[in-house]
Amino acid sequence: MTVISADDVLAARERIAGRIHRTPLVRSRALSEMTGYEVFFKAENLQKTGSFKIRGACNKILPLSEEEGRRGIITASSGNHGQAVAYAARLCGYSATVIMPEGGSPVKAASIKDYGAELLFCGTKSGERIALAQKMCAESGAVFVPPYDDPFVMAGQGTVGLEILEDLEDASAVLVPTGGCGLISGIAAAIKEKKPDTAVFGVEPEGSASTGISFRAGKRTALDHINTVADGIRTTIPGELTFPVVQKYVDDMLTVTDEDVIRAQLLILERCKLLAEPTGAVAFAALLRGALPEKFRGKRVVSLISGGNVTLRQLADCIRAR
Ligand SMILES: *Cc1c(COP(=O)(O)O)cnc(C)c1O
C-alpha cells in the first residue's frame, strides 16, 4: 500500500477546482520535427504563482478547519513552494510564515512578501530551517506544509496528470522533472491507475540524480554533493512517502546534462514562446538528447514544463552560457 491512490488525486481535483488555472497542453510542430517525437508541452509555467506547486499547497491548506488555519501556516522552502504556500494561505485568509536561508535570493523574498507571507531568515542548511519550522509548529500549533513528503501535497500535484490524460488520451509517455518526488508520485499514481499503458518517466540533471540512483539501488540513497543549474530540484534524497510510489509506478528515471537543460529552455522559449525556468525545461531536455527508449520514436510524448519563475537577468545568463 502506498500513501496515495488515483482516488486521492480525483478528490484533490474537486477540492482545488476554480482556485488554480487549467493549464494548456501545447503541441510543437517545430520541436517534433527536431526531436523525432510528437512533442506536447503541459504548460505549468502559466500556472498561478508560476509553478505547479500551488496545486499541492491548496490541496493541503483548503481542508484545514478554521481553527487549525487560524493558528497559521509555516513552510521552510524559499523557492516555488514558498510562493505557493504564501498564496494558498492568503486565499484562505490565514497567515503564513516562510523560513528562508540567510542570504537567500532577494527576488524570491520580495515575491513571497508580495503574496502576503512573513519572512524569517535562519541558517543556510535546509535541515536547520525545517527544525525551526517544527519547533514553531510545536509551540504555536501552526500547520507545517512540507514541499513534497505529504499525502495531500502529493495528491494535489497529481492533478497535473489527470489534466494530461483528459487532453491527450493516447499519450505514449509523460516526462516529469523530479526533485523530492511529490510531483511525479502524484502524476504516476493518477496515470498508472487510469491508463497503465502510458509510460511515466522522471528526469533529473546528472549532478542531482538522487532519485535515479535510489531507483536503481532499490532503496532511498542520499547524495552528499549537488551540482546543477536546475535550482528547483537540488534535492539530496527522495522523500520517505514519495519514493515507494515512484518504485511502484514510475517506468524509469532518465538523466540530462546542464547543457541539455539550458538548450531546452532556450528552444522552448524561441520556438513555442513559453518561458520555462531551467528546472522547468529538464523534461524536454531528455527528448532533445533522445534519452527515451527506441519504441517511443514518432509517438505522442508529453513534456511537463513545471515552472517559469526566472528573472530576465538569470535568463540573460543562460543565453550567455550557451
Ligand atoms: C518543486 C519543483 C519540481 C520538483 O518537484 P518535486 O515534488 O520536488 O519532485 C520541479 N520543477 C519545479 C519548477 C519545481 O518548483
Side-chain angles (χ1 to χ4, degrees):
M1 268 292 282
T2 49
V3 294
I4 59 159
S5 68
D7 284 343
D8 299 307
V9 183
L10 284 165
R13 187 193 168 104
E14 291 279 304
R15 190 176 287 128
I16 68 179
R19 314 285 184 144
I20 60 152
H21 291 312
R22 175 74 169 75
T23 54
L25 193 73
V26 181
R27 181 176 181 276
S28 170
R29 203 181 63 174
L31 296 180
S32 296
E33 274 169 18
M34 179 181 287
T35 58
Y37 307 99
E38 197 176 339
V39 176
F40 293 81
F41 292 109
K42 174 65 170 169
E44 283 293 296
N45 56 316
L46 305 178
Q47 187 51 268
K48 285 181 199 256
T49 73
S51 85
F52 71 89
K53 290 250 176 29
I54 189 65
R55 296 173 182 262
C58 277
N59 194 47
K60 175 77 177 172
I61 294 172
L62 283 167
L64 296 177
S65 71
E66 184 71 31
E67 197 202 331
E68 287 171 308
R70 264 193 283 110
R71 295 190 214 125
I73 312 292
I74 295 183
T75 194
S77 153
S78 55
N80 290 337
H81 179 64
Q83 296 184 42
V85 168
Y87 181 94
R90 187 164 69 177
L91 192 74
C92 297
Y94 305 141
S95 67
T97 304
V98 178
I99 305 174
M100 296 209 35
E102 309 273 8
S105 147
V107 178
K108 286 183 175 160
S111 119
I112 290 170
K113 249 199 171 127
D114 273 352
Y115 287 124
E118 280 208 50
L119 290 176
L120 260 182
F121 292 87
C122 164
T124 52
K125 298 206 175 72
S126 74
E128 295 173 71
R129 293 196 296 284
I130 289 168
L132 175 64
Q134 281 164 347
K135 180 164 162 272
M136 288 171 65
C137 290
E139 283 167 8
S140 65
V143 178
F144 182 58
V145 183
Y148 47 84
D149 227 4
D150 179 283
F152 283 88
V153 172
M154 293 156 71
Q157 321 303 32
T159 57
V160 173
L162 293 180
E163 292 178 14
I164 290 172
L165 285 186
E166 261 173 30
D167 288 352
L168 194 69
E169 213 189 312
D170 59 348
S172 293
V174 176
L175 280 81
V176 183
T178 301
C181 301
L183 178 60
I184 194 168
S185 62
I187 290 178
I191 289 183
K192 287 297 187 173
E193 289 180 25
K194 303 212 147 286
K195 276 219 65 212
D197 289 348
T198 300
V200 177
F201 292 97
V203 188
E204 295 172 306
E206 280 173 357
S208 180
S210 62
T211 302
I213 289 166
S214 301
F215 193 76
R216 280 174 228 301
K219 62 174 202 292
R220 292 169 67 232
T221 308
L223 298 176
D224 46 31
H225 184 73
I226 299 279
N227 180 18
T228 176
V229 65
D231 61 354
I233 48 179
R234 289 188 183 135
T235 324
T236 54
I237 187 165
E240 220 175 299
L241 302 181
T242 57
F243 186 62
V245 183
V246 171
Q247 283 183 300
K248 180 169 176 192
Y249 287 125
V250 170
D251 288 78
D252 205 358
M253 293 295 307
L254 311 172
T255 51
V256 295
T257 65
D258 275 5
E259 211 179 304
D260 298 326
V261 172
I262 299 299
R263 196 169 149 239
Q265 180 194 22
L266 298 180
L267 276 170
I268 294 168
L269 180 59
E270 197 173 68
R271 301 302 168 93
C272 305
K273 326 306 165 199
L274 291 169
L275 177 59
E277 60 188 273
T279 309
V282 163
F284 180 62
L287 295 186
L288 266 186
R289 76 176 347 220
L292 281 187
E294 202 41 45
K295 67 172 182 182
F296 292 99
R297 282 273 148 223
K299 296 283 168 51
R300 298 183 152 188
V301 168
V302 179
S303 207
L304 172 55
I305 302 179
S306 50
N309 288 324
V310 60
T311 63
L312 290 183
R313 187 178 295 272
Q314 288 165 328
L315 184 64
D317 288 343
C318 290
I319 293 169
R320 247 181 266 114
R322 191 157 67 141

